[in-house]
Amino acid sequence: MKNKYIISSASLIILAALQLNAQSTSDTTDPKPGNSRFMLRGYSDATFQSNDEESTFGNARFIPVFLYQQSDKLFYEGELEFAYEDGEVEIAIEYANFYYSLAPNVHLRAGKILVPFGIFFDRLHPSWINRLPTNPLGYGHDGLLPTADLGIELRGASYLGNMKFNYSLYTTNGPRIEDGEGEAEEVGMIKHESSLDNNNNKSIGGRLGIFPLKDQSLEIGFSALSAKLGDRDSDLENIGAFLYAIDWTFVRKLSFLGGIVDLKGQLNFINIDDQTYEVEEDSVTETYSFTNKSNTSFFQLGYRPTFGNSQFVKNLELVGRYSTLNTPEEAPWETESSQLTLGLNYWIDWRTAIKFAYQMENITGGHAEDGEEPEELDVNTFYLQWTLGF
Amino acid sequence: MKKINKYLFWFLAFGFTTLVFVQCATQKNVSNSGENKKGTPEYVLQKSGVQIWAESCIRCHNTASPATFSDVEWEVALTHMKLRAQLTQLEAQKVLEFMKSAN
């Protein structure tokens, strides 16, 4: 009821704003032939990976991005993903949304949106932007962090005194919780990509980014998201989740190092209300009770030389990333993982690269019975990825 | 602790929303006649399009040459970046003018 009131009020405010801001005919661009405001962009990539288990050309992806500017105020963007892997083609809509500019620095975004929780998914996920062939731990379509969801958002940027800031405020269908009926070993885990909206609650979240330096080389971001996770009319209906994150970006050409330094990172905390879960497996009821707190992080450093006359050297980039993932003790999906990835990229042009990377992953996990030691696994993988933005 | 987190979140969200709307309401569209740039710091007004282009694009990806797109395509691409990369109206306008002049 409370949610309906919030959504209805928000809709009325937005409609009023749209009415007040209604575009005049002079705002509308004229889409003459040869002068179209339509752009087909996107990227494509293919990856080879090799470790003790397998050596394979793992996948190939074609990801077109459709952009259309209807007017000065109305803009559409949509990203499709075609991925060929394990002999199958998977198709997905990564995002599909329109923007309406309510004011020069206030934009409404609605549809399937990339959730601006931190920087990785909203800004860095395309392979021609991501400096490494893999994602940090906890990120990805099966990760603990939000990726994309159906909803609405207000976003933009402005100045507070002498400091620039950017902001996002959004409400979406929100994540759900695994109740153990589908995946018993994942009971209590937050799930962000639900095909169906499982309850009437809507998640509410936001991100604030500030630029303390005048050259905008440093951005520090704070994100938060609050939601109820359980299916409607279920015992888990009122389980709440509160996620928050801190992210940072520092990119600057440093003369004394003879190159561009690119420092990025994000700390994420996922807190879910305590709950006792009962799961039936092979006609036996297992009970799980644990403090449902997880955290994940990544720290990335890139260096691209700008010294000397050799274009070959200037096209190189060194990248290192350290990433961690810790999930709740006593949960069936308990894990303590860390990942170190070292990469060397060769940039053919500003959006086309060949990436070499070696990733060392240590995974300690699995729910161990009393007196048993949890399993520990080391996986070292070599990656070769070709990526092209267009 | 959990309750304090939630109260803090709502307090910050409310305070920030108010701040954004008060701040943004004072800034008019620079493309409007009169070019009202109230609320924009002096050092930003003095920045050139090429400077903003060099500072902003590289935060996420390598910088694109002005020759990459036509003038019309740059209008679409810069509008997209204004929305996605959260450039201000003034920043996007200055970068677009530079891209067109250098194209």
Side-chain angles (χ1 to χ4, degrees):
Chain A
M1 190 65 193
K2 193 177 164 189
N3 261 312
K4 279 181 188 168
Y5 179 74
I6 292 170
I7 299 293
S8 305
S9 305
S11 305
L12 282 173
I13 292 168
I14 289 163
L15 280 172
L18 288 172
Q19 187 59 35
L20 285 171
N21 209 41
Q23 59 193 19
S24 64
T25 49
S26 61
D27 288 331
T28 308
T29 52
D30 184 10
K32 290 176 184 169
N35 206 25
S36 170
R37 261 63 177 176
F38 174 80
M39 277 182 87
L40 176 62
R41 300 191 61 194
Y43 57 100
S44 178
D45 57 55
T47 307
F48 171 81
Q49 61 187 71
S50 177
N51 56 32
D52 289 343
E53 295 291 316
E54 60 176 0
S55 288
T56 179
F57 290 95
N59 67 5
R61 300 188 303 162
F62 167 56
I63 299 154
V65 176
F66 301 86
L67 306 175
Y68 180 65
Q69 186 173 358
Q70 171 76 17
S71 70
D72 287 347
K73 296 180 188 300
L74 193 56
F75 194 92
Y76 174 82
E77 63 169 359
E79 180 179 302
L80 280 174
E81 177 179 322
F82 298 88
Y84 182 74
E85 191 169 1
D86 298 329
E88 291 181 1
V89 177
E90 288 187 9
I91 302 172
I93 295 178
E94 291 290 305
Y95 55 84
N97 51 255
F98 72 85
Y99 292 88
Y100 190 85
S101 294
L102 301 170
N105 294 320
V106 184
H107 314 292
L108 173 75
R109 176 158 72 157
K112 186 175 184 187
I113 63 173
L114 289 172
V115 179
F117 186 82
I119 49 173
F120 191 82
F121 249 92
D122 193 29
R123 300 184 190 172
L124 308 177
H125 83 274
S127 59
W128 71 276
I129 295 177
N130 184 3
R131 287 337 207 214
L132 291 163
T134 58
N135 292 339
L137 290 170
Y139 296 79
H141 291 298
D142 297 320
L144 295 175
L145 299 170
T147 52
D149 202 355
L150 292 163
I152 57 172
E153 177 196 11
L154 281 174
R155 63 193 275 126
S158 188
Y159 300 94
L160 189 61
N162 267 338
M163 187 174 69
K164 182 185 169 183
F165 69 88
N166 56 38
Y167 66 91
S168 302
L169 290 168
Y170 57 87
T171 179
T172 65
N173 281 342
R176 66 177 181 88
I177 197 160
E178 177 56 60
D179 59 9
E181 285 185 19
E183 300 281 347
E185 66 278 11
E186 293 184 351
V187 65
M189 187 187 283
I190 192 167
K191 296 283 183 180
H192 289 280
E193 295 199 348
S194 308
S195 53
L196 295 171
D197 187 13
N198 66 327
N199 58 31
N200 292 330
N201 178 265
K202 300 290 154 255
S203 75
I204 295 175
R207 179 180 178 278
L208 169 66
I210 56 171
F211 296 79
L213 304 179
K214 287 183 177 177
D215 65 3
Q216 296 190 25
S217 57
L218 176 65
E219 179 182 3
I220 302 169
F222 307 92
S223 305
L225 186 157
S226 176
K228 289 202 184 303
L229 307 179
D231 292 350
R232 60 173 67 84
D233 302 327
S234 74
D235 293 342
L236 306 180
E237 186 172 12
N238 288 318
I239 290 186
F242 184 73
L243 291 74
Y244 60 98
I246 301 167
D247 63 77
W248 59 89
T249 299
F250 176 78
V251 185
R252 186 192 268 178
K253 184 177 176 181
L254 297 176
S255 305
F256 68 95
L257 289 176
I260 297 166
V261 170
D262 184 339
L263 191 63
K264 289 186 172 73
Q266 190 169 322
L267 304 175
N268 310 287
F269 302 90
I270 301 124
N271 300 326
I272 297 169
D273 292 346
D274 292 342
Q275 175 76 28
T276 300
Y277 303 92
E278 289 187 346
V279 180
E280 196 170 309
E281 279 185 288
D282 302 327
S283 305
V284 178
T285 302
E286 287 258 14
T287 302
Y288 296 100
S289 185
F290 49 88
T291 303
N292 203 342
K293 292 181 190 297
S294 305
N295 62 72
T296 168
S297 65
F298 81 89
F299 307 84
Q300 182 174 301
L301 175 63
Y303 171 76
R304 188 159 175 193
T306 53
F307 64 84
N309 295 321
S310 168
Q311 192 57 48
F312 178 81
V313 172
K314 288 180 180 176
N315 290 345
L316 295 173
E317 182 179 41
L318 294 167
V319 192
R321 186 184 68 209
Y322 180 70
S323 177
T324 64
L325 170 66
N326 298 301
T327 57
E329 286 183 28
E330 305 299 322
W333 39 286
E334 173 186 351
T335 183
E336 276 184 32
S337 303
S338 65
Q339 185 191 77
L340 177 64
T341 314
L342 302 172
L344 175 66
N345 302 333
Y346 183 80
W347 288 95
I348 296 167
D349 66 25
W350 69 284
R351 53 188 171 174
T352 305
I354 299 169
K355 304 184 209 170
F356 303 87
Y358 190 69
Q359 184 164 283
M360 293 154 277
E361 195 165 352
N362 176 268
I363 306 159
T364 304
H367 178 63
E369 298 298 326
D370 290 342
E372 287 182 11
E373 286 292 316
E375 286 179 27
E376 189 170 345
L377 189 65
D378 286 305
V379 182
N380 299 331
T381 308
F382 168 77
Y383 292 92
L384 171 61
Q385 185 182 63
W386 162 83
T387 178
L388 184 148
F390 56 85
Chain B
M1 185 63 190
K2 216 173 285 176
K3 277 194 173 173
I4 291 172
N5 275 343
K6 282 184 183 172
Y7 290 141
L8 186 65
F9 171 68
W10 287 115
F11 175 75
L12 289 174
F14 178 75
F16 182 63
T17 309
T18 308
L19 178 74
V20 164
F21 281 96
V22 168
Q23 187 67 18
C24 293
T26 63
Q27 297 191 334
K28 293 184 179 174
N29 192 335
V30 292
S31 64
N32 289 346
S33 59
E35 302 244 333
N36 192 331
K37 294 159 187 170
K38 190 182 169 189
T40 303
E42 190 58 34
Y43 77 90
V44 179
L45 296 175
Q46 287 174 0
K47 280 187 183 181
S48 63
V50 64
Q51 194 177 351
I52 296 169
W53 166 74
E55 289 174 1
S56 303
C57 310
I58 203 168
R59 279 207 302 277
C60 295
H61 56 74
N62 300 320
T63 45
S65 157
T68 306
F69 299 123
S70 70
D71 286 358
V72 174
E73 287 175 326
W74 272 123
E75 285 179 22
V76 181
L78 258 303
T79 303
H80 188 224
M81 285 299 100
K82 178 182 76 177
L83 300 166
R84 275 296 292 278
Q86 294 171 300
L87 302 179
T88 63
Q89 175 81 9
L90 179 65
E91 288 171 336
Q93 184 98 5
K94 284 191 172 195
V95 175
L96 180 60
E97 283 165 12
F98 161 67
M99 290 303 200
K100 284 181 172 179
S101 68
N103 198 352

